[in-house]
Amino acid sequence: MNLFDAQSTEFIRRHIGPNEAETRQMLETIGESSTQSLVEKTIPKNIHLPSELDLPASISEQEYLQDIWMVASKNKVFKTYIGQGYYNTITPSVILRNVFENPGWYTSYTPYQAEISQGRLESLLNFQTVVSDLTGLELAGASLLDEATAAAEAMAMLFHHVNPRTTDKPRFFVDNQVFQQTKDVLVTRAKPVGIELVFGDYQNAGIDNSYFGALVQYPNSSGTIEDYRRFIEDVHYQGGYIVMATDLLALTLLTSPGELGADVAIGSAQRFGVPLGFGGPHAAFFSTKETFKRGIPGRIIGISVDAQGNNALRMALQTREQHIKREKATSNICTAQALLANMAAMYAVYHGPEGLKNIASRINVIAEAIEEELTTLGFEQLNNTYFDTLRIRADRGVIEPIALQNQINFQYYTDGTIGISIDETTTQKDALDIVFVFASSKGTDEATIGFDSEISAAGKIPAALQRTSAFLTHPVFNSHHSETQMMRYIKKLEKRDLALNTSMISLGSCTMKLNAATEMIPLSWPEFASIHPFVPQDQAAGYKQVIDELSSYLSTITQFDGCSLQPNSGAQGEFAGLNTIMEYHRANNQEHRNIVLIPISAHGTNPASAVMAGMKVVVVKSDEKGLVDVEDLRNKAEQYKDTLGALMITYPSTYGIFEESIREICEIIHDNGGQVYMDGANMNAQVGYTAPGYIGADVCHLNLHKTFAIPHGGGGPGVGPICAKQHLLPFLPGHFSLDKGQPVSAAAYGSASILLISYAYIRMLGAMGVKKSTEYAILNANYMKVRLAEYFQIMYAGKNGTCAHEFIVDLRPFKTSAGIEAEDVAKRLMDYGFHAPTMSFPVPGTIMIEPTESEDKAELDRFCDAMINIYKEIIAVQSGEADKTDNVLKNAPHTQHVICMDNWEHSYSRQSAAFPLEYIRESKFWPAVARINNTYGDRNLICTCAPVESYAEAE
């Protein structure tokens, strides 16, 4: 064996679970001679790639870390005062180490199984409380993707709520002083649904009843603090609503949007301890009045009760979720930015209300001190009011070279003025350095600055807009201010959650694979973490290299001609792909091509994304085998041939099988004038063996948080880049910083910092490794399928009886025979130490299992053993051996408190409840709460931490 080759392929062996001996055993169980023969039976031969992927060879983890350090050193970490919605911040080390860098927090999944998600749910409830308190509005969500898309979601929510009354071209007013990236995303999102955006100065906007709403920035993009009360009254008088984009840190000193009369508040929580990361990922916030609770986009965490009457948290109002509403959806939001929202929440817990106010006051004081010195030097400061941003009249041509020489970035406004946005990291020395730059432009090599104790902490905030209301009064924000307290609080919450560091999470369509530590390490390096998205290009050369190379790799893997990394979620990728198609049709004078065909088996966000892109959905049937009904597709394509815009298709299908007729399907669409959009959610069954572009698609999105190893973070971040053929490349998302329009996200490269994870994944696996990952994803799924098929009915299979990388177990027969439903099986799996597979999607009453390639045979067997034992428990109910209502399934999950109660009145033993199999004794994971009452939580909607009075009453 060549030891050097062994070292370079070591990561492949680390990433893929089964070893050679286990592989042989699994193949024997399946009845196959090799993984290659299994793959050939599974993936149709007519779509196999003719050659190997043109990707670099795999490298070792140590080699990768050395390489990526050289790349990181190409980024220049200057002191940056650009602002515009992005600010340097200090991530407290206790949060950095115990949340951001902790797999217990970053590898968990969306809290659909709430009983084993109570830790992150409490933290997200804290986030909602922070947002609700600071914005002064009753209802807040558990994070959106970024500030710009949050503004677009607010516009869409109000548009659908108002159903504009007097015009076919409803209007939405946007103040000129809103951040540029927000205005641009609004343009992209307004155009497809027929909203007319009107830009102007709010002070002479001329609002009438054709406007359903308006957006203002507080403080605005120039840094001034405007009193919008009169404008808000005018908009309300005309029957419209106000969205206020704002800054949580500023709101510790400013009157809240709710107190001013705003209906919606949006913004970014980035400066609450979340690194800049060249633009993302950052948690956006969204709060509103309870009037809009049925229309608020994204997720809401609510308080309910469990089976024992204890308080328990869950995602509330889930009937609003867009995969249920399909084409009637008003938003396609599927993922959130949960990990970043949790960091922001922890930042607020750690600092508390006084700590946050002190940080904000210090920023304001430093800004005022700089203003005094610059004024003394003869410069004019134009902002009469401000929180953190000065606007100086000065010659950019003189100032900028001196600033760059001193490794300082300012904001250079189009009117020739210079912006200086102070942040939490700005020191007194930094303030002196800023003054020195301006002094140097006057020909002096000396500068001084004083911090007069008489400078007011709110000296430049108008008296009428200074905050007087309390915030963050709940004990959780006033109890954990030492590092010891904070560390233990974080650990307490972590222990309530099941993540990949506990056990396998076999969620079909969600691809919960290994998130290797080496892939994660560079994210914390300042050379990547501290880069502002609007710095000069030469300061982000390292990022540019990663972005260019990753784009090339993904284009190669998908067999497309180009790639946009901007969409910062899978649903954003769907919208971006469809918007690209629609822009292509418009450019060819075919704007009327707005019909999109979507198979009934498609992911639920597909129809929602299509409607957002201005398309009309026509559903295509599936046959009894779960395949697209080709004749129905052909008939509808021909019926709409004059208006057909696109087909949306998931491949392999959400039923876990490869459509043998996929090429024919693509040809039918093309023959009738449409484009083929492929949903890449199931790309983990394609990489290296086939590809969307080779199959015949025109554009696809990829879930980097699935196939390419970005962790799910308890519900986000995600990344959903789109790859496309040559004819669509001119219509991919752009950004003002790249001198191109049509952005779908706030930053040019979306969640840029976590692109490093997928980059590392491909570099360390190499061409051979990414292909082997596909091979083993298919092997692991088929092994589990064969083991479980003896006990459960498996729905759907390919032509040769195999599944792709996932399969569906039908639990519906047990509802009839034993009164046991899919939810009972999901909750019972918690007693065995497992997160349930995807439940009731795409078929109600089923579970969809996807093991991924990174689970070894022992873990696959452990899950199968749990399912087989659950089958026996169901049969016991079915036969009458176990009680139909008082049994281990109906009462699952069993908490430690329940098991330890003095009185045990159940018809089964404590041991069978908590330790049904021997392996559980070694490492028992206890659900934090018993089964949660979903209905109670929706009928009694509480979405913030309980008020202090409730604690006093309890005592």
Side-chain angles (χ1 to χ4, degrees):
M1 180 179 68
N2 186 318
L3 294 178
F4 294 103
D5 287 346
Q7 182 189 30
S8 66
T9 59
E10 181 183 11
F11 182 75
I12 300 174
R13 294 193 295 276
R14 303 287 189 197
H15 177 78
I16 293 173
N19 59 31
E20 289 182 18
E22 291 172 340
T23 300
R24 288 194 297 270
Q25 293 166 9
M26 292 161 68
L27 287 168
E28 186 177 338
T29 300
I30 297 169
E32 286 295 329
S33 60
S34 67
T35 54
Q36 191 60 39
S37 68
L38 175 63
V39 170
E40 287 176 0
K41 278 187 174 180
T42 302
I43 302 176
K45 289 183 180 178
N46 70 330
I47 61 168
H48 279 235
L49 291 172
S51 59
E52 299 299 319
L53 292 175
D54 184 18
L55 292 174
S58 61
I59 59 175
S60 71
E61 293 176 77
Q62 187 60 27
E63 287 174 314
Y64 173 73
L65 287 174
Q66 290 172 348
D67 281 2
I68 199 65
W69 174 251
M70 297 301 293
V71 174
S73 66
K74 296 179 181 179
N75 291 331
K76 300 174 184 177
V77 185
F78 284 13
K79 291 298 295 187
T80 296
Y81 306 101
I82 294 173
Q84 300 301 294
Y86 299 96
Y87 308 88
N88 265 306
T89 182
I90 298 169
T91 308
S93 297
V94 66
I95 297 173
L96 181 71
R97 175 63 61 88
N98 294 291
V99 179
F100 188 59
E101 298 177 340
N102 181 354
W105 283 91
Y106 68 67
T107 69
S108 54
Y109 184 63
T110 300
Y112 287 126
Q113 297 296 336
E115 293 84 355
I116 50 175
S117 308
Q118 289 295 295
R120 84 197 82 130
L121 284 166
E122 179 172 327
S123 185
L124 291 172
L125 188 75
N126 291 345
F127 177 80
Q128 289 179 179
T129 303
V130 170
V131 172
S132 182
D133 276 15
L134 287 173
T135 62
L137 291 161
E138 305 100 285
L139 190 62
S143 86
L144 293 180
L145 300 176
D146 58 37
E147 180 169 337
T149 55
E153 293 292 339
M155 175 182 70
M157 182 189 79
L158 297 178
F159 172 62
H160 290 288
H161 179 83
V162 171
N163 190 16
R165 304 156 295 276
T166 60
T167 177
D168 294 330
K169 192 80 169 174
R171 292 175 167 182
F172 187 75
F173 178 83
V174 182
D175 185 63
N176 288 331
Q177 293 291 331
V178 169
F179 293 140
Q180 185 63 48
Q181 63 270 23
T182 300
K183 290 190 286 191
D184 290 350
V185 169
L186 287 172
V187 171
T188 302
R189 290 281 293 272
K191 182 178 179 181
V193 293
I195 296 171
E196 179 186 353
L197 293 179
V198 178
F199 297 93
D201 183 342
Y202 81 94
Q203 295 185 77
N204 48 36
I207 297 293
D208 59 32
N209 67 359
S210 67
Y211 290 85
F212 65 88
L215 171 68
V216 292
Q217 191 95 37
Y218 176 71
N220 68 23
S221 63
S222 293
T224 64
I225 302 166
E226 301 290 318
D227 190 337
Y228 294 111
R229 289 183 177 97
R230 178 65 181 271
F231 179 65
I232 292 169
E233 289 174 5
D234 291 345
V235 173
H236 285 167
Y237 180 77
Q238 296 295 341
Y241 296 95
I242 285 285
V243 181
M244 191 173 283
T246 189
D247 179 321
L248 293 180
L249 195 57
L251 291 182
T252 64
L253 303 180
L254 300 180
T255 302
S256 71
E259 292 171 294
L260 295 176
D263 303 288
V264 184
I266 61 98
S268 172
Q270 179 265 315
R271 69 192 307 175
F272 272 33
V274 180
L276 281 168
F278 202 43
H282 306 144
F285 62 85
F286 190 112
S287 61
T288 188
K289 296 175 178 177
E290 197 162 336
T291 307
F292 302 104
K293 70 181 179 183
R294 290 283 167 182
I296 185 173
R299 297 167 180 164
I300 302 174
I301 309 307
I303 300 173
S304 188
V305 294
D306 73 358
Q308 272 70 55
N310 301 308
N311 274 3
L313 305 175
R314 56 180 280 278
M315 289 201 292
L317 300 175
Q318 289 199 18
T319 53
R320 297 176 306 98
E321 294 243 299
Q322 303 308 322
H323 64 262
I324 297 170
K325 286 187 170 184
R326 296 179 67 83
E327 67 270 15
K328 292 184 174 64
T330 57
S331 166
N332 70 342
I333 291 295
C334 186
T335 50
Q337 299 284 29
L339 179 66
L340 300 316
N342 284 328
M343 288 179 66
M346 291 297 183
Y347 181 93
V349 168
Y350 191 49
H351 287 294
E354 286 305 311
L356 293 176
K357 191 171 182 179
N358 288 342
I359 292 168
S361 297
R362 184 176 167 279
I363 287 170
N364 194 247
V365 165
I366 290 175
E368 191 168 352
I370 293 170
E371 179 191 16
E372 286 194 359
E373 298 303 328
L374 295 186
T375 302
T376 301
L377 286 169
F379 292 96
E380 183 183 3
Q381 200 286 115
L382 301 177
N383 290 345
N384 294 324
T385 63
Y386 57 81
F387 163 58
D388 60 8
T389 299
L390 308 175
R391 191 157 56 99
I392 309 299
R393 193 182 300 283
D395 186 342
R396 174 179 180 172
V398 176
I399 296 293
E400 187 172 19
I402 301 171
L404 292 174
Q405 187 179 353
N406 286 274
Q407 299 191 343
I408 290 174
N409 293 316
F410 295 130
Q411 166 69 5
Y412 299 99
Y413 292 107
T414 55
D415 66 359
T417 58
I418 297 172
I420 307 171
S421 291
I422 305 305
D423 59 52
E424 179 188 11
T425 68
T426 308
T427 64
Q428 291 179 329
K429 180 185 179 303
D430 294 330
L432 180 61
D433 290 342
I434 291 169
V435 174
F436 175 77
V437 168
F438 285 86
S440 297
S441 73
K442 295 277 190 178
T444 177
D445 58 0
E446 292 184 1
T448 60
I449 189 168
F451 293 90
D452 194 329
S453 60
E454 294 182 6
I455 294 177
S456 166
K460 290 295 181 174
I461 297 175
L465 292 173
Q466 292 181 17
R467 186 169 193 127
T468 58
S469 58
F471 57 92
L472 305 188
T473 56
H474 187 274
V476 74
F477 301 107
N478 296 277
S479 305
H480 307 292
H481 302 326
S482 76
E483 182 163 335
T484 302
Q485 292 167 329
M486 191 65 193
M487 176 180 64
R488 290 173 181 162
Y489 179 65
I490 293 170
K491 187 66 178 179
K492 181 179 82 169
L493 298 193
E494 180 194 342
K495 286 163 64 178
R496 295 177 180 176
D497 281 13
L498 188 146
L500 276 175
N501 65 344
T502 305
S503 63
M504 161 186 178
I505 301 178
S506 58
L507 284 152
S509 190
C510 297
T511 316
M512 300 288 291
K513 63 170 67 179
L514 169 69
N515 313 120
T518 298
E519 295 163 0
M520 306 296 293
I521 284 172
L523 272 65
S524 301
W525 295 348
E527 290 80 4
F528 287 120
S530 299
I531 305 296
H532 191 288
F534 302 156
V535 296
Q537 291 185 10
D538 68 303
Q539 293 179 28
Y543 262 119
K544 185 70 164 53
Q545 180 178 334
V546 169
I547 286 162
D548 288 348
E549 291 183 10
L550 179 58
S551 296
S552 174
Y553 299 158
L554 296 178
S555 297
T556 297
I557 286 167
T558 57
Q559 297 288 285
F560 282 121
D561 299 305
C563 177
S564 168
L565 297 170
Q566 189 180 113
N568 47 10
S569 80
Q572 282 284 83
E574 289 177 8
F575 170 73
L578 293 171
N579 198 57
T580 296
I581 288 172
M582 288 301 292
E583 286 298 309
Y584 167 76
H585 286 317
R586 288 187 188 102
N588 289 288
N589 297 315
Q590 298 280 301
E591 188 170 358
H592 58 277
R593 289 195 171 277
N594 64 349
I595 295 293
V596 59
L597 303 184
I598 302 180
I600 190 68
S601 61
H603 194 283
T605 57
N606 284 186
S609 298
V611 171
M612 284 173 51
M615 306 183 88
K616 295 179 180 178
V617 175
V618 174
V619 177
V620 177
K621 297 176 186 174
S622 293
D623 63 20
E624 68 280 357
K625 295 180 181 179
L627 303 169
V628 171
D629 186 326
V630 177
E631 284 313 303
D632 187 53
L633 175 84
R634 188 189 311 277
N635 291 338
K636 285 172 177 168
E638 291 176 354
Q639 177 186 350
Y640 295 104
K641 64 182 179 182
D642 294 331
T643 55
L644 180 62
L647 165 74
M648 294 189 83
I649 188 165
T650 303
Y651 199 71
S653 75
T654 49
Y655 294 147
I657 50 178
F658 284 91
E659 309 266 356
E660 295 281 336
S661 57
I662 186 63
R663 280 208 154 139
E664 181 185 1
I665 288 170
C666 293
E667 287 170 7
I668 291 169
I669 299 302
H670 290 146
D671 288 346
N672 288 280
Q675 297 283 292
V676 176
Y677 169 92
M678 188 169 283
D679 185 315
N682 293 339
M683 194 69 194
N684 212 45
Q686 286 194 48
V687 179
Y689 279 96
T690 187
Y694 184 70
I695 290 166
D698 299 287
V699 60
C700 81
H701 91 267
L702 300 171
N703 296 95
L704 299 193
H705 50 289
K706 296 183 182 183
T707 306
F708 297 95
I710 291 176
H712 285 65
V719 180
I722 55 171
C723 300
K725 288 191 174 176
Q726 187 67 42
H727 65 281
L728 293 179
L729 297 188
F731 310 102
L732 291 179
H735 195 270
F736 76 87
S737 65
L738 305 176
D739 298 320
K740 185 184 175 187
Q742 294 286 329
V744 296
S745 302
Y749 301 105
S751 294
S753 66
I754 56 174
L755 297 176
L756 289 161
I757 302 167
S758 298
Y759 178 75
Y761 174 86
I762 296 171
R763 288 288 313 278
M764 291 190 293
L765 283 175
M768 180 173 68
V770 295
K771 187 173 182 179
K772 270 195 170 297
S773 294
T774 301
E775 194 175 305
Y776 274 84
I778 292 172
L779 172 68
N780 284 1
N782 279 279
Y783 172 69
M784 293 182 74
K785 173 178 172 288
V786 169
R787 278 210 65 191
L788 294 177
E790 186 178 342
Y791 304 91
F792 298 93
Q793 181 178 328
I794 309 299
M795 296 185 71
Y796 310 119
K799 184 176 72 173
N800 297 311
T802 61
C803 65
H805 62 314
E806 60 191 4
F807 60 97
I808 298 174
V809 175
D810 192 356
L811 300 175
R812 293 173 297 181
F814 301 122
K815 182 175 181 179
T816 303
S817 65
I820 299 298
E821 302 186 51
E823 183 180 25
D824 300 320
V825 174
K827 303 309 179 190
R828 180 59 173 154
L829 274 167
M830 297 176 192
D831 290 329
Y832 288 81
F834 285 107
H835 193 294
T838 301
M839 193 175 73
S840 294
F841 173 80
V843 181
T846 67
I847 54 174
M848 182 162 58
I849 298 172
E850 180 185 354
T852 82
E853 71 276 10
S854 52
E855 299 297 343
D856 62 13
K857 181 176 179 293
E859 186 71 355
L860 304 181
D861 284 335
R862 199 165 70 89
F863 183 88
C864 289
D865 291 345
M867 285 296 295
I868 291 165
N869 211 56
I870 288 172
Y871 169 81
K872 294 174 182 176
E873 292 169 349
I874 296 171
I875 296 304
V877 177
Q878 186 175 298
S879 66
E881 181 185 339
D883 190 271
K884 283 218 166 187
T885 55
D886 183 32
N887 59 63
V888 290
L889 289 122
K890 287 294 181 186
N891 293 329
H894 296 83
T895 64
Q896 191 173 35
H897 173 74
V898 167
I899 294 296
C900 295
M901 290 176 68
D902 291 339
N903 297 320
W904 184 262
E905 299 177 350
H906 296 297
S907 58
Y908 51 90
S909 69
R910 298 176 201 258
Q911 178 172 322
S912 62
F915 300 96
L917 289 176
E918 188 62 33
Y919 77 79
I920 301 171
R921 295 177 180 277
E922 184 180 341
S923 181
K924 172 70 176 176
F925 178 86
W926 291 100
V929 296
R931 193 175 304 196
I932 295 173
N933 185 327
N934 293 327
T935 305
Y936 179 91
D938 283 348
R939 287 178 177 169
N940 303 274
L941 187 61
I942 302 173
C943 299
T944 57
C945 300
V948 178
E949 300 82 63
S950 66
Y951 286 78
E953 289 168 6
E955 291 187 11

